[in-house]
Structures are given as structure tokens and as C-alpha cells.
Amino acid sequence: MHELIAFLICIPLLLSFVPQYSLQMKNNRNMDRVDTIVNSAKEEARQAGYFTDENITHMVDEIVELGFTEDEVIVNVTKVPKYRTETFDSRELIEYEVGVPIEKKIAANQLFGISDEENKGTYYTRGAVTSEKLPYVESD
Amino acid sequence: MRSLICTFALVLLLSSFSIFQVDNDSFLLQQEKLKHVADDCAAAASLYYTSDSYGDGIRIFDKDHGNSAVSYLIKQNLKEDPLQYYVYYFDGDGHVTEYKGKDLVKRQKVEYPYLFEESLTGFKEMVYEPKTIVTIDYKLFDYRLVFLRDARLIRTSGYEYVGS
């Protein structure tokens, strides 16, 4: 009998690792893809001098394809033109911060006494780049 | 009792797999991020050049502003300060200037094409045109499993003006 009780305690503990591997793979794939999407949007922003509405929409659409809703994607980016200057000026940098929710970090969280609220998180990718857009020079 | 001992052993083994998976994923993510930061820094360093020489058709990088841009971007884009970073400027007049952080290490005259070899990473590149190369030696990545050797997070990236 005691063998059966031990078995019943051990099985859920061991089985909890199986979904954990899959969950970690899913979370990591999402983080990696978000990084790649944001990086390519950032390259476009560098040419344009800022994150254009088209660029933001395209970026968010690509992130939504990963399984997030549009409302879940947090986007804080430079939306006013920044220019390439002859000397370095930190005010002329294009800044970006994009976040996506991580719904679950631990697969069998209840088993380890972790509440659903504690088990959530947000993954941010953020940074700054120089603009390559030349200032508009008015012709005579 | 036997099944309990077996379970503990299995939990330890599976936990090790799980910890390795999390650590390795994090290492790869950080390496990818570092690659992007090195790209951005090399591009930023190449933006500033002296206008007098440019008027003569020679691109000579403005190292002070280039170094300020690299230093600022590294601070903005990385969570921790790197162990060290190196910036190499290949000017249009054939001068190569190497900086360790913001400190001048070496300045020499070369002839293009010039085979550049980064001593830290073994990165080799034939330089034909004005170019900037940035190497960021970020840190030793700490794998939590004690029997794994810590991996070094280091990336090199270059930005070249073709046909300038």
C-alpha cells in the first residue's frame, strides 16, 4: 500500500517536467521571434529616422501572428523624426521598447504553490539606434 | 522507500535538463542581442567623419564622436556594462586606429586591401574601403549547472562604405 501512495505522489512530480520542456520551448521561440521582428523594424526606422505608422503596424501584425492579441503587444517607440547629425547627439537617437506577455513561466505552477498571477510576466526588448536620415535642406 | 529514492534521482536529473534548457536559451538570446548591439555600434561609429577630408574625397572618421556614440549605445542597449569593448577605424587615407573603450591603443598606416584579424575572436576580414569594426566582450555567461564551463559572450561586427 505504501508503495502505491509513494507512486501516486511521485508520478505528478515527474510528469510536471514534460509540459515544462514544451512551455520553455514555446516561450523562448516567442522571445526569439519578437527580437527578430523588432530588430528588422528597427532597421527600417533607422533609414526613415523614426518608427513610421506603417512600420509599427507591420511589426505588430507580425507579432500578432505568434499568437498574441493586438492589445497585448506593448509598443513604446520614437514616432517623431530624428536626424543624422555631424556630431553625436543622444537626443537624436531612435528609441524603442516592445513588450509581449508571457502567460505561463512554470507549467504545473499550482503543484509548486505558485499562483497564476505570480506565474505571469512580460518580455521586453528595448534599446536605441542612431538615425541615418539626413536633415532636410531647403534649396535656394 | 526505493521508489522514493528513484523519484528524487529522476527529479534531480530532470531538473538539470530543465535548468540547462533555460540557461542555454537565455545564452542564445543574449548572444543574438549582442550581435544586434555590435551591428548598431559599428553603424553608429561610421556616421561621423571629418567634413574637410570628405570634401577632398577621403573619408576619415571622427573618432571622438564615434566613440561617444558607441559608448552611449552600449550603455543604452545592454543590461550590464561589458567587460571591455574595442573599436577599429579604417580611414580612407590608410590609417587604422584601435581603441579599447575610449582609450587609444594603436594607430598605424596600412595599405588596402588589408587583412584584419581580431585577436580576441579570431574574426578575419579583408578591408578594401573605409570601415568601422566593433568588438564587444560582454561577460562570461554563468551556467547554473556547476559541471558546465561558463561561456564567453563576445561578438564582432563591421560596417563598410562600399565605393565611397
Side-chain angles (χ1 to χ4, degrees):
Chain A
M1 186 62 184
H2 68 277
E3 283 289 325
L4 184 70
I5 294 168
F7 177 75
L8 289 176
I9 294 169
C10 297
I11 279 294
L13 200 60
L14 292 175
L15 283 180
S16 69
F17 283 96
V18 180
Q20 183 58 38
Y21 294 133
S22 311
L23 182 69
Q24 172 59 22
M25 278 173 74
K26 181 194 152 203
N27 285 343
N28 186 65
R29 176 187 153 271
N30 282 348
M31 290 189 279
D32 190 31
R33 282 289 298 139
V34 167
D35 273 0
T36 308
I37 292 165
V38 173
N39 189 56
S40 86
K42 177 198 78 185
E43 291 300 324
E44 275 186 42
R46 198 214 298 263
Q47 302 297 320
Y50 66 112
F51 279 83
T52 60
D53 289 341
E54 273 178 15
N55 190 4
I56 294 170
T57 309
H58 182 66
M59 178 177 74
V60 171
D61 285 349
E62 279 196 276
I63 293 173
V64 165
E65 279 175 26
L66 299 175
F68 301 102
T69 64
E70 215 167 292
D71 295 337
E72 284 175 336
V73 184
I74 302 159
V75 180
N76 294 314
V77 293
T78 300
K79 292 180 183 172
V80 291
K82 301 286 181 176
Y83 296 102
R84 174 180 176 170
T85 46
E86 285 186 11
T87 55
F88 172 66
D89 185 346
S90 59
R91 292 168 302 178
E92 293 300 324
L93 291 178
I94 303 163
E95 294 182 345
Y96 60 93
E97 179 186 66
V98 178
V100 288
I102 296 172
E103 284 170 28
K104 258 176 171 260
K105 292 184 206 163
I106 307 283
N109 55 312
Q110 302 286 359
L111 190 70
F112 300 103
I114 301 166
S115 71
D116 287 342
E117 253 342 280
E118 286 172 313
N119 201 26
K120 285 179 181 170
T122 307
Y123 174 71
Y124 284 101
T125 179
R126 48 168 77 95
V129 280
T130 44
S131 170
E132 293 191 0
K133 187 174 173 62
L134 290 167
Y136 174 69
V137 182
E138 204 171 335
S139 56
D140 295 329
Chain B
M1 190 63 186
R2 200 175 50 194
S3 61
L4 207 63
I5 292 169
C6 282
T7 304
F8 276 130
L10 276 172
V11 165
L12 268 179
L13 186 71
L14 293 172
S15 298
S16 301
F17 287 147
S18 202
I19 289 168
F20 174 74
Q21 189 190 21
V22 172
D23 282 358
N24 200 49
D25 287 346
S26 172
F27 174 72
L28 294 174
L29 267 181
Q30 287 193 43
Q31 204 173 40
E32 194 66 14
K33 173 76 180 169
L34 193 59
K35 185 182 99 177
H36 295 152
V37 176
D39 282 347
D40 292 341
C41 288
S46 70
L47 284 181
Y48 310 101
Y49 47 84
T50 54
S51 48
D52 290 349
S53 58
Y54 191 67
D56 297 334
I58 304 166
R59 190 183 292 267
I60 294 176
F61 296 107
D62 185 330
K63 281 87 178 172
D64 287 343
H65 290 289
N67 287 342
S68 299
V70 171
S71 157
Y72 192 86
L73 284 183
I74 284 176
K75 274 208 174 67
Q76 283 284 304
N77 293 344
L78 294 177
K79 283 180 187 159
E80 302 163 39
D81 285 340
L83 293 173
Q84 196 51 265
Y85 65 91
Y86 301 84
V87 191
Y88 305 89
Y89 296 93
F90 296 85
D91 291 325
D93 63 355
H95 279 101
V96 182
T97 318
E98 179 185 340
Y99 285 88
K100 183 179 179 181
K102 282 187 171 179
D103 302 326
L104 177 68
V105 175
K106 198 166 63 180
R107 182 172 160 81
Q108 59 175 332
K109 182 100 165 83
V110 297
E111 271 188 30
Y112 299 133
Y114 171 72
L115 180 66
F116 168 74
E117 187 173 350
E118 162 66 80
S119 55
L120 282 171
T121 56
F123 169 84
K124 280 184 185 172
E125 177 88 344
M126 191 63 88
V127 181
Y128 298 94
E129 312 249 9
K131 184 173 186 134
T132 52
I133 293 175
V134 172
T135 294
I136 304 173
D137 185 2
Y138 189 27
K139 62 178 180 180
L140 277 176
F141 183 83
D142 183 22
Y143 278 103
R144 283 173 289 177
L145 298 177
V146 285
F147 49 87
L148 285 179
R149 213 174 55 180
D150 291 346
R152 199 172 182 184
L153 275 165
I154 184 166
R155 292 301 292 224
T156 297
S157 181
Y159 200 90
E160 187 175 47
Y161 282 92
V162 179
S164 62

